[in-house]
Amino acid sequence: MIANFAVTYRCQSRCRNCNIWRIEDVGKEELSLEEIGDLFSSNRKFLSDIRSIQITGGEPFLRDDLPEILSTIHGTLPECAFWIPTNGLNPHLIEKGMGGILGALEGVDVGVSVSIDGIGETHDELRGINGSFEMAVDTLARLSLLRGDDTELQLSVGMTLTPINSGEMMEVYSLARSLNAEFSFRPINFSEHYYRNQDDTFNPRTSVEEILPVIQKIGHDILKRRGLRASLTTLRYMQGTLDYIRKDGVRTLPCTAGSDSFFLDTNGDVYPCIIMDRRMGNIREEKLGKLWYSETSERTRQRIAEGRCPGCWVECEVYREILNNKLSLTATALNALMHPSTAGIY
């Protein structure tokens, strides 16, 4: 149902919690537009159930052919929505790229998430680039103007929580709302093959006591703006984030990565997700449908079903499980109804 596709690992950020920018010979083995077209057209039937693809990186907008990539995929999967995270470091380039994408994908749901990890110098410190906060805000403002009345274009601000920036969470949320963008956040996650931060010494521990009242306040505002039904999955995600931090990175929901989703790397390697470093095959070597049912892939799915995966709490790998877990959604609804001032978050 969901796929993550890293179209490039080129990146201008120097983030403290991610080492993608350290990759040597970056861009050397990226899938070409022609290869991407062949992949999706030759696997049209196999991929027909995909409803959402996150086009990620690196910085996706550093690919000059990004509009053509999305248009090519859309030609095969006309019902698929797209989501693009960006570091916002090149406002003009991103504005131009999104203009091309919206022109090519008229009527298709497309979302952009601009990463903002704090206010001013805090964001610059975590991103490793002086002036990056101003550029990210400029990007968000440009996209907000570009959207206008276009309901297909969704905007969000994404924040990765650390001990350094957790005290500015409410300010980042307010910034997002001032530009009519939604807000999402996540704890630091670790991955050998994606973030490449498995052995990083950066301390990810965030104080639950510090962020709990802020998350409750944000949850209350979301509940008030959207109503219970429309905010339910978000409230469950927010509660899960707190639980994940409290349990030192232990996931509180089962996972169906490798069954209901996959991650396609820049060079054609296929993984169950962006977190679990279990290569299932490469689409340059064999058809996606064939490698999906290989013995290696089946063993990977078995490990995940048994809970023997690293565990994570990121939106692209969690929301589908939230939607599938009706019991936890019911509990979230009851908590929100009984404690509306905190949106039932504890």
Side-chain angles (χ1 to χ4, degrees):
M1 295 173 62
I2 299 171
N4 282 293
F5 178 18
V7 294
T8 184
Y9 280 146
R10 286 172 278 166
C11 190
Q12 325 96 307
S13 283
R14 299 293 182 264
C15 298
R16 291 187 59 178
N17 60 301
C18 173
N19 292 316
I20 286 176
W21 58 274
R22 297 181 186 273
I23 297 174
E24 297 180 359
D25 296 325
V26 65
K28 184 177 180 180
E29 297 183 353
E30 289 176 1
L31 293 172
S32 67
L33 179 61
E34 182 180 3
E35 287 178 306
I36 294 168
D38 288 343
L39 165 66
F40 282 89
S41 62
S42 63
N43 291 278
R44 184 187 301 267
K45 184 176 181 180
F46 177 76
L47 297 173
S48 62
D49 287 336
I50 290 182
R51 292 295 176 264
S52 177
I53 298 179
Q54 178 169 245
I55 304 294
T56 188
E59 171 50 51
F61 286 97
L62 289 180
R63 283 210 50 157
D64 297 334
D65 56 356
L66 187 62
E68 289 78 11
I69 290 174
L70 269 67
S71 181
T72 296
I73 297 173
H74 173 66
T76 301
L77 305 175
E79 297 182 25
C80 182
F82 298 94
W83 196 264
I84 311 170
T86 176
N87 58 33
L89 285 179
N90 195 324
H92 176 72
L93 178 69
I94 295 167
E95 180 183 31
K96 181 181 177 181
M98 275 311 303
I101 289 170
L102 293 176
L105 301 180
E106 187 175 354
V108 178
D109 287 335
V110 181
V112 180
S113 177
V114 181
S115 297
I116 298 181
D117 286 337
I119 302 299
E121 292 180 359
T122 302
H123 175 84
D124 290 1
E125 178 185 352
L126 287 167
R127 291 277 156 174
I129 302 292
N130 291 334
S132 59
F133 174 74
E134 292 181 1
M135 287 182 278
V137 173
D138 185 17
T139 295
L140 190 62
R142 287 171 182 253
L143 293 177
S144 184
L145 287 174
L146 181 65
R147 175 175 56 180
D149 297 326
D150 188 346
T151 56
E152 280 78 33
L153 176 57
Q154 303 174 57
L155 291 181
S156 177
V157 167
M159 182 179 186
T160 300
L161 293 177
T162 76
I164 294 173
N165 67 1
S166 56
E168 298 179 6
M169 189 178 185
M170 194 68 214
E171 291 179 81
V172 177
Y173 175 75
S174 298
L175 172 63
R177 296 304 306 142
S178 72
L179 289 168
N180 200 25
E182 292 299 331
F183 173 75
S184 187
F185 61 93
R186 68 208 61 82
I188 291 178
N189 286 266
F190 293 88
S191 168
E192 289 185 43
H193 67 284
Y194 183 60
Y195 298 119
R196 302 175 192 238
N197 60 354
Q198 195 68 40
D199 299 320
D200 204 343
T201 57
F202 184 62
N203 184 1
R205 193 176 298 277
T206 301
S207 169
V208 171
E209 291 73 19
E210 181 180 7
I211 63 174
L212 175 58
V214 180
I215 291 178
Q216 289 174 331
K217 188 174 182 180
I218 292 173
H220 172 71
D221 185 64
I222 291 172
L223 184 61
K224 185 179 179 181
R225 283 193 296 111
R226 300 184 193 170
L228 179 61
R229 184 172 184 178
S231 59
L232 198 55
T233 52
T234 301
L235 297 179
R236 176 64 185 91
Y237 173 83
M238 294 167 77
Q239 181 63 60
T241 303
L242 291 167
D243 296 339
Y244 182 84
I245 296 172
R246 286 187 179 113
K247 295 178 180 293
D248 291 330
V250 176
R251 185 185 173 108
T252 56
L253 282 177
C255 184
T256 57
S259 298
D260 292 337
S261 69
F262 65 89
F263 168 55
L264 178 63
D265 208 343
T266 58
N267 66 352
D269 283 339
V270 177
Y271 297 86
C273 62
I274 64 174
I275 303 297
M276 189 175 185
D277 189 22
R278 296 278 292 191
R279 181 179 177 274
M280 299 163 72
N282 187 289
I283 58 97
R284 282 173 166 159
E285 300 168 358
E286 56 185 328
K287 294 289 186 181
L288 181 59
K290 183 178 180 180
L291 72 82
W292 192 256
Y293 296 107
S294 68
E295 186 176 333
T296 298
S297 297
E298 292 294 348
R299 285 199 302 267
T300 298
R301 281 188 281 271
Q302 184 63 34
R303 288 178 66 90
I304 294 170
E306 294 170 356
R308 294 189 292 134
C309 66
C312 72
W313 200 262
V314 290
E315 298 92 325
C316 58
E317 299 294 345
V318 169
Y319 265 87
R320 70 173 181 274
E321 313 301 351
I322 290 175
L323 290 168
N324 289 334
N325 196 312
K326 305 305 181 186
L327 184 61
S328 69
L329 283 174
T330 300
T332 300
L334 290 174
N335 286 336
L337 288 170
M338 291 188 296
H339 308 283
S341 64
T342 62
I345 296 171
Y346 58 88

